[in-house]
Amino acid sequence: SLYEVPGIKLVVCLETPPVSILLVLEPHERVLGVDKSASQQEIKKAYYKLALRLHPDKNPGDEEAKEKFQQLQKVISILGDEEKRAVYDQTGCVDDADLAGDVVENLKTFFRAMYKKVTEAD
Amino acid sequence: MSSLFLIGDSDKKSSKSDGSNIQNSTFSKLLNFAPPFCISFHQFEVMAEPAYTVASDSETTGEEKSSSAFPEIAIGIDIGTSQCSVAIWNGSQVELLRNTRNQKLMRSYVTFKDEIPSGGVSYQLSHEHEMLSGAAIFNMKRLIGRVDTDPVVHASKSLPFLVQTLDIGVRPFIAALVNNIWRSTTPEEVLAIYLVELRVMAESRLKRPIRNVVLSIPVSFSRFQLTRIERACAMAGLHVLRLMPEPTAVALLYAQQQQQLIHDNMGSGSEKIALIFNMGAGYCDVAVTATAGGVSHIKALTGSTIGGEDFLQNMMRHLLPDYDNLFSSRGVNEIKSMGLLRVATQDAIHKLSFEESVQIDVDLGNGSRICRKVNREEFEEVNQKIFEKCESLVIQCLLDAKVQADDLTDVMVVGGCSYIPKLRNLVKSICKRELYKGMNPFEAAVSGTALEGAVASGISDPFGNLDLLTIQATPLGIGIRANGNSFVPIIPRNTTMPARKELVFTTVRDNQTEVLIVVYEGEALKAEENHLLGYFKITGLPPAPKGVPEINVCMDIDASNVLRVLAGVVLPGSQQPVVPVMEVRMPTVDDGHGWCAEALHRAYGSNLDLVTVQKK
């Protein structure tokens, strides 16, 4: 089972163990896939490998590198954080615009509130 | 008119020792009273080939570089308040370059004693006191890019050269005392002269021209100060590839060392969190980095303008309570006494890192003599506020990084102050860790800049030793003035770079046709207490009730740390901007920017104000 994050251009597959990364850049698909069973350490490892590959410093002249790298940052800000990942696991979606900085704190409550609604409706 | 020609004439004919000539050149220097950016670097032609000219970025050099099969490796430079060093990736490791006196660490000063100013790279001081005779300018890193209302500039007034302030927000007047004449200069000029010497030294060692450099800078430097560093480099014919906050350079060295351990099958590949505490003569910086796979991801940065210079000044005032009164006038004798006290105090502070107490005996030559014992507790007590500030920087950095002391794998204390026992102890106690022993505390920052220099030059290493990356974070928040006189950050501090963020504002008045966007950098809540970066107006807003137009201000920092501010206006229900979008590269301010903010405020008051739009 894979995560799907709207607004993200990367497809990342983590195979465990050992961790291997398959990176597919699909401008139209906009899907991030990470195996839900991946451990924090495996996600972090994948992140660092991807960062080394996607950072604009490593892709001089590539106009899209900056955007790709920023998207990777958005992904890791959720999946790299146990709590946020758990919230995300439960709600399954992310408000892209609200990921930045301090707003993330509010996001947690937002998610929780939303999750509550869903269970109530269920 | 005729007398001017006469001076020029006599300059050519007469010898230096001619007394009248000294007067004449004094006069001609007085004519050039304005801070001289126009120092002629052709003077250095005599010292080395090729000719060094103050030049802007030349297109041709870039082309040469890309056509070459071997890319030019940028050198790394650590410009310290007190000491400087240069390093380069030599193909297999980082190597620090030595000057002709076999020094790796060179004193940061420039003396204007002779016709051609010379700095600590090439010049041999006959004695420590020579640097303090008034003819030498030092601590330029503390002065560069600061206005004369800055407390750091005011603290620099006790240095044995002239720092004059008018306290109105313009650049301070700085001058060296040569033959009883105050010869004016600027921090940029002093730094440029010094950088030329470093460049000559590196070129003679490496036997090739040097153009590209990576420099380390303090965390607390504003973007305006960065432009001043770039300016000094350009004056010295150097092109800045990167400016790295000092602890992030150390973090890169750490990332490389951890990679090396894995190659040697001695380390695990898991993420390591490290705290770096870097304190030199002028600045104290802290970084928290998360490292794995050769990547150093900077999680948080804190920094302040405190350093060894403050320890020294506090101690001098402690030893000589009448210090400020005695040295309020700046004659040759006062400067000499000041220098004697400075050297003696500096020596004592160094010794107190290794001994419990030290005897000071110094004759200041003005009838006063200091002869007494000083012990370590006394030193720590006198400087208690500085130590407290250091503590708060470490705690704040951990907090900002959302890291607990228990999460830390390694803790490093580096920089010129790293042997002070109290500093080591306070970092150890906050971080609950012994200190990392794997790096030379005086060479760590410059080694990191050399690594970044190689990486940024596109050099690869067959053994993967350069598969490195620094993911930088913004050391200061960047935002605009809104909601009255508040500073509203758009890109908060410690945001991962490259970054792009936006915020929506609106008008405060019905039918407001113009808004003023004033961009600041810093942490203070009041706008004017931050560093002004620039300003622009958006005009031609269509008449609308207050609060209706949506003014979207977007800030973009690319991977090379270039900041662009974009601002556009839309009316509700439309996706199209009503006036062309403004795009401004910042900083745009020039010298005297302290005035600017005040003038803007006076001229426009609240007529062109903005408020943030509350999210629904």
Side-chain angles (χ1 to χ4, degrees), chain A residues 37-85:
Chain A
S37 67
S39 71
Q40 268 300 299
Q41 214 179 22
E42 284 155 357
I43 285 180
K44 288 270 172 72
K45 223 168 190 174
Y47 161 70
Y48 283 107
K49 276 194 188 173
L50 272 174
L52 198 57
R53 224 164 120 176
L54 293 177
H55 195 275
D57 279 4
K58 302 291 176 186
N59 300 278
D62 181 355
E63 306 249 319
E64 279 184 21
K66 186 178 156 192
E67 203 187 325
K68 287 177 196 163
F69 183 75
Q70 283 173 328
Q71 283 170 342
L72 178 68
Q73 289 303 321
K74 284 177 187 167
V75 172
I76 198 65
S77 73
I78 300 168
L79 298 189
D81 182 306
E82 299 258 27
E83 272 183 55
K84 282 172 203 153
R85 186 181 171 198

Side-chain angles (χ1 to χ4, degrees), chain B residues 459-529:
Chain B
I459 312 291
S460 59
D461 176 67
F463 304 105
N465 284 324
L466 291 177
D467 290 341
L468 304 172
L469 172 70
T470 305
I471 302 173
Q472 292 282 6
T474 51
L476 297 167
I478 305 165
I480 68 169
R481 176 181 176 275
N483 305 338
N485 200 25
S486 298
F487 171 64
V488 178
I490 294 176
I491 296 182
R493 188 159 59 101
N494 294 323
T495 301
T496 298
M497 293 199 279
R500 189 187 185 110
K501 299 210 184 278
E502 48 194 285
L503 216 59
V504 179
F505 298 85
T506 190
T507 52
V508 286
R509 238 158 272 283
D510 290 335
N511 302 321
Q512 187 174 334
T513 57
E514 296 185 334
V515 291
L516 183 65
I517 310 280
V518 191
V519 180
Y520 288 94
E521 184 183 38
E523 293 306 313
L525 297 174
K526 275 190 186 168
E528 76 264 13
E529 285 169 16

